[in-house]
Amino acid sequence: MTHELAPAVGLPAPTAAEGQSPASSSSEGRDWWRDAVIYQVYVRSFADSDGDGIGDLRGATERLPHLAELGIDAVWLTPFYASPQADGGYDVADYRAVDPLFGDLADADDLVRTAHELGLRVIVDVVPNHTSDQHPWFLAALADPDPDGARRRYHFRPGRGAHGELPPNDWESVFGGPAWTRTPDGAWYLHLFAPEQPDLNWDNQEVHEEFDSVLRFWLDLGVDGFRIDVAHGMVKAAGMPDIGHGEQASLIGSQTLPFFDQDGVHEIHRGWRRLLDSYPGERIGVAEAWAPSAERLALYVRPDELHQAFNFQFLRCPWEPAAMRSVIDESLAATASVGAPTTWVLSNHDVVRHPTRYGGGAQGLRRARAAALLMLALPGSTYIYQGEELGLPEVTDLPSEVRQDPAFFRAAGQDGFRDGCRVPIPWTAKGPSYGFGEGGSWLPQPAEWGALSVAAQTGDPLSTLELYRSALALRRQLPGGPMRWLPGPDGLLVLARNGLVCTLNTTASVVELPTPGRLLISSDVMDQPGDTARIPADSCAWWAI
Ligand code: GLC
């Protein structure tokens, strides 16, 4: 049966809640970040220049031309700072130094310069919620039991119980187990993540001053902004009250917790916005904030706060048309209410890769390709996690002895399987680590990944890599503007933006429609007999109207 699709032209203009400020058409001008496509480089797994099996800055620099060719606007580099690597570098011992694993400061400088020459901006991670337990501040705090001395930079407390043998409250670490560890002198310190990641005390002015100085250090080196790790965690509720229900804290959950999303964090972000604005060239801040709702998340991107906040509601949304539509509507409405863009993301280094989340195998890949086209059609900015442009699935069968994620070892943690999305990406069909480096790779790559490599997919018009390349090139040419929904048959989402119609078939069968326009791109082979478009199962297409 052929379903009727309402015409995309002549509809009433969308309300503010339906759309956003018009997208700028280039990454050159003001507000470049409002519609930027930003590619996440997980440094340790991207490209290894020295054959030690671990990706590094020089490797990333050498591969930047691939990213420029892919058609992105900026890269986000995960932490490459001096670190004992208890949590993949999210345990920083020196915020101004490059870990020898990844290179040195000259390599960082070279990466930023090369990226700029290629027209790419560079965003780096900053980890302000906690330091490494090897950071000089924490070593000083351990060495001096005076609660009013070096310990004031962290959260040290006496324990409960007759002999202080119980933790100060009932908070659980995100990685499992208590959020408190006892020192040999009997005091307890707070760590929302691993014990090697003690939480900083943001009531201490010295902490503010130190991070202002760290941000300046990297801004002076030329970076274009920061991805702010655990941007919702720095401020804890006064008195650190018990939660009471004894549940495992979840980074990804929507619970209201006394250590996440406290109103006080916004003052910190306002300060950083002033600092960013004091530099030329629109340097940005993007929040990794897991807030309980789209409205709470939007508070992080008010005009005097950060520029972007990852939309994890979208990432977590199941393959279900009504849910997808309402997540998109709620996100756009919430960010429009503060004049910010929505920042779409499907995968990152902390979650199961989306082809696997969407069911795995051929179906998961079909849906992932379709989801990418949907995401790239939406107003706002988009993040792409390295390897998603290759359609890489999660690696689900890593043996325990190669795993490194602290969450895997600490608990029945809800995100205890983060190594499976961090396996080094394949560049060539053959070679010791499929072109990742001259040596092996720190996590083993599946044998079938040669066929998914950049080299194997390049030039194949049906490959996921070429789909991303074409979609990104088309996206640059599209005029942008707000979106609105058009009616469609059950299971088909139809959205229109200035000159573009995007059709997403979320069902397991072909849906027929009168051809909506001129086919621009499709995630699956599209049959168009006469004036009919036969939209394949789990597929997405863009049409020019
Ligand atoms: C963020 C990072 C994650 C890290 C955690 C603690 O969620 O993305 O990888 O483990 O913060 O720093």
Side-chain angles (χ1 to χ4, degrees), residues 87 90 130 175 193 227 229-230 251 288 349-350 418:
D87 181 22
Y90 283 97
H130 42 263
F175 292 158
F193 295 88
R227 178 266 191 189
D229 189 62
V230 197
L251 188 63
E288 186 225 14
H349 65 291
D350 290 329
R418 298 182 303 171

